[in-house]
Amino acid sequence: MNVNRELNVSADEFFNQIQRSVLEDIKASTRKNIEAEQVVDGYSYHKNLGTKMGGSSKVKVTIKELHAPTSYKADFTSGNGVNLIAYIIQEIGPQKINVHYEEGFSGSSRKMDLNNKIVQLFYTMGSKRKINTLLKNMETYIIQNRPM
């Protein structure tokens, strides 16, 4: 699934918000306070993640790319396979960016891949709406919390 959206914030502001969210997630999942400089490509940690069916699954999160202010990519590995999420940020003007969000899944077996493709047929539109809402909410939060 891919979503592209223009936002009225700078690349630095958007990337910094992603970075803060990653640090908060690491703290909530591991109970460790770490500095942004410690989160580099290849950094990983474990967390519990809700499933689409309402359950919970332990996953390994691996930061694949965290390059300020242009990209964030992470893998979420579970027994079912690997979910990939990516944010690619392109500055297109003063206080204006294009965010390309990408999400994909690679199953641990052909059966899991097929099952995921069937599920995605039903969830794609709702997922795109959720991502667009998330991006819009991030934009609003950044703008409302800019230093005066």
Side-chain angles (χ1 to χ4, degrees):
M1 174 184 66
N2 294 295
V3 173
N4 286 296
R5 180 152 186 148
E6 285 188 11
L7 302 176
N8 295 309
V9 296
S10 73
D12 285 328
E13 288 174 319
F14 188 81
F15 183 85
N16 290 341
Q17 184 59 43
I18 289 174
Q19 193 170 47
R20 279 191 296 275
S21 295
V22 169
L23 291 171
E24 288 173 12
D25 188 54
I26 292 169
K27 183 178 180 180
S29 300
T30 67
R31 297 190 176 122
K32 294 179 185 175
N33 281 320
I34 63 166
E35 300 296 321
E37 297 77 28
Q38 294 175 271
V39 183
V40 295
D41 296 359
Y43 183 90
S44 64
Y45 61 99
H46 290 87
K47 70 179 280 178
N48 288 319
L49 194 63
T51 64
K52 290 179 180 169
M53 304 307 270
S56 179
S57 175
K58 188 165 187 146
V59 297
K60 178 181 180 184
V61 181
T62 303
I63 307 299
K64 293 296 190 179
E65 206 172 282
L66 190 63
H67 299 168
T70 58
S71 64
Y72 166 69
K73 297 179 183 178
D75 285 348
F76 295 76
T77 305
S78 70
N80 294 332
V82 180
N83 278 77
L84 164 74
I85 65 161
Y87 292 86
I88 307 300
I89 307 155
Q90 180 183 16
E91 193 121 30
I92 56 176
Q95 301 293 314
K96 193 166 212 53
I97 60 172
N98 182 67
V99 176
H100 174 76
Y101 174 86
E102 184 177 329
E103 186 176 315
F105 178 79
S106 176
S108 57
S109 66
R110 281 187 158 176
K111 182 179 176 184
M112 290 305 298
D113 271 340
L114 179 59
N115 181 56
N116 183 66
K117 287 177 183 168
I118 292 168
V119 169
Q120 286 300 344
L121 288 174
F122 295 104
Y123 286 104
T124 297
M125 287 308 294
S127 294
K128 285 186 177 188
R129 266 193 302 276
K130 283 182 182 179
I131 294 305
N132 272 306
T133 300
L134 171 70
L135 293 172
K136 182 64 178 164
N137 288 344
M138 288 175 74
E139 174 188 49
T140 300
Y141 179 83
I142 291 166
I143 291 169
Q144 289 177 347
N145 290 284
R146 279 184 179 144
M148 295 289 173

